[in-house]
Every structure is written in C-alpha cells, then in structure tokens.
Amino acid sequence: MNRNDMLRKYATFAKSGDRSSFENFYILTSEDAFRKISALKVDQENDEAILTDVYVNLWKNVRDLRTNPEDIPEWIHHEIERCAVRRCGADVLADASPEGFAQLTEDQQANVWFRIENRIGVLEEEAGKPAPLSSYLLMIAHILLAIFILVLSAALIWFLLRIL
C-alpha cells in the first residue's frame, strides 16, 4: 500500500470519528506540515504549538476532512496559515520562506501528539468522563436514605428492646 492509499484510508476512517486512524493520519502528514510551519520562521516553541493547533482544528472539523490525497496538503497548508496568524499575527506570513527546512523528530512528533490528545480530550475520555452533577446528587440522596433507614432501624430495635 503506497502513501496515498494509506492517506485515503486513514482520512476516511478518521472522518467517521476513528481516533487511531486520525493518529495515523497525523503520523503520515505531520512532517510535511512541520516543514511548512518552519518556513514561517517562528521559534521552535511556536512551531510545535502551531502544529498542535492545526491538528486539534482538523480533529474538531474531522467530518470535513479531505480524503483525496492530492487535496490534503493544500487543506493542511490553509489550516497552518490560519493557526499561525491566530497565534503569531498576520506578519508571520509576510516573512515566510518558500520552503521550510526543519525536520520533525520522533520525540517532537510524539510530544505534539500527546498535546493534541490532551486538547481533544482523548486522555480524559480514556480515564473516564467525570460524572455530571446530577449523578453526584443522586448518590448523596442514596447515602442519606441509607443513613436514615439505618437510624430508623436502630431506633425501632431500641424501642422494641425497651418494651420487652
């Protein structure tokens, strides 16, 4: 299976909400995206932050994800420009060089993916979503009812023991 076939496959599955396919999509496209971001000549911290923003936004709009491998780089480039302007201002596009030079290391790629997961809530979802307030209130009501029944039972037993 060549790169374009894998891109099409992972983009299609990611579009249906499959996070592992989105991660594979990220792995296939993040190096090129990082090179384009490095062409903007911002510092490394902003490079990684922009890359994180790009893929968080792609996930948030995953239903609109392009599945044609020829369209994907242009779509990601557009998202890079939007995120760079939002984070660094419009001047960042004026100073851009035609092609970036920085390489995304595996450590950087993994660290950025971890930040993406944190931002899109994957880790919270895997750990279990916090229960809504109504669940806590219901649990408190059950506890109070159990305590009331226990006290009532103790009082009834005490009363019966006094009579006998």
Side-chain angles (χ1 to χ4, degrees):
M1 185 178 281
N2 66 25
R3 184 177 188 277
N4 282 347
D5 292 338
M6 288 189 298
L7 260 177
R8 181 177 287 111
K9 173 185 168 187
Y10 293 134
T12 302
F13 285 123
K15 194 172 182 170
S16 67
D18 181 8
R19 284 197 174 116
S20 63
S21 292
F22 186 73
E23 181 177 3
N24 289 327
F25 175 83
Y26 164 78
I27 291 167
L28 285 171
T29 59
S30 59
E31 289 181 41
D32 291 337
F34 190 75
R35 229 180 339 276
K36 288 178 183 175
I37 293 167
S38 73
L40 300 175
K41 298 180 183 174
V42 295
D43 57 75
Q44 183 177 349
E45 185 177 311
N46 274 326
D47 283 352
E48 292 180 12
I50 292 168
L51 187 63
T52 302
D53 292 346
V54 165
Y55 284 91
V56 167
N57 289 343
L58 292 179
W59 176 255
K60 286 180 180 177
N61 299 302
V62 74
R63 300 273 185 251
D64 301 327
L65 191 64
R66 304 285 163 80
T67 56
N68 183 353
E70 289 79 29
D71 295 340
I72 290 171
E74 183 180 326
W75 192 54
I76 291 174
H77 182 75
H78 175 69
E79 192 60 40
I80 288 169
E81 288 179 347
R82 286 174 14 105
C83 292
V85 167
R86 193 173 324 119
R87 185 170 285 277
C88 302
D91 295 340
V92 74
L93 298 179
D95 297 334
S97 61
E99 189 61 39
F101 53 88
Q103 292 292 110
L104 183 65
T105 67
E106 286 184 26
D107 286 343
Q108 286 174 305
Q109 191 177 40
N111 288 334
V112 169
W113 179 252
F114 183 71
R115 280 187 243 136
I116 293 167
E117 284 184 323
N118 281 330
R119 294 258 309 271
I120 64 177
V122 172
L123 298 180
E124 293 170 357
E125 193 170 291
E126 288 175 354
K129 290 183 180 178
L133 181 61
S134 60
S135 295
Y136 290 117
L137 293 175
L138 186 61
M139 185 173 29
I140 291 170
H142 284 169
I143 292 169
L144 291 175
L145 182 61
I147 291 171
F148 176 74
I149 291 172
L150 189 62
V151 169
L152 188 60
S153 298
L156 184 61
I157 291 171
W158 181 76
F159 178 73
L160 290 174
L161 287 177
R162 276 191 81 206
I163 295 177
L164 299 174

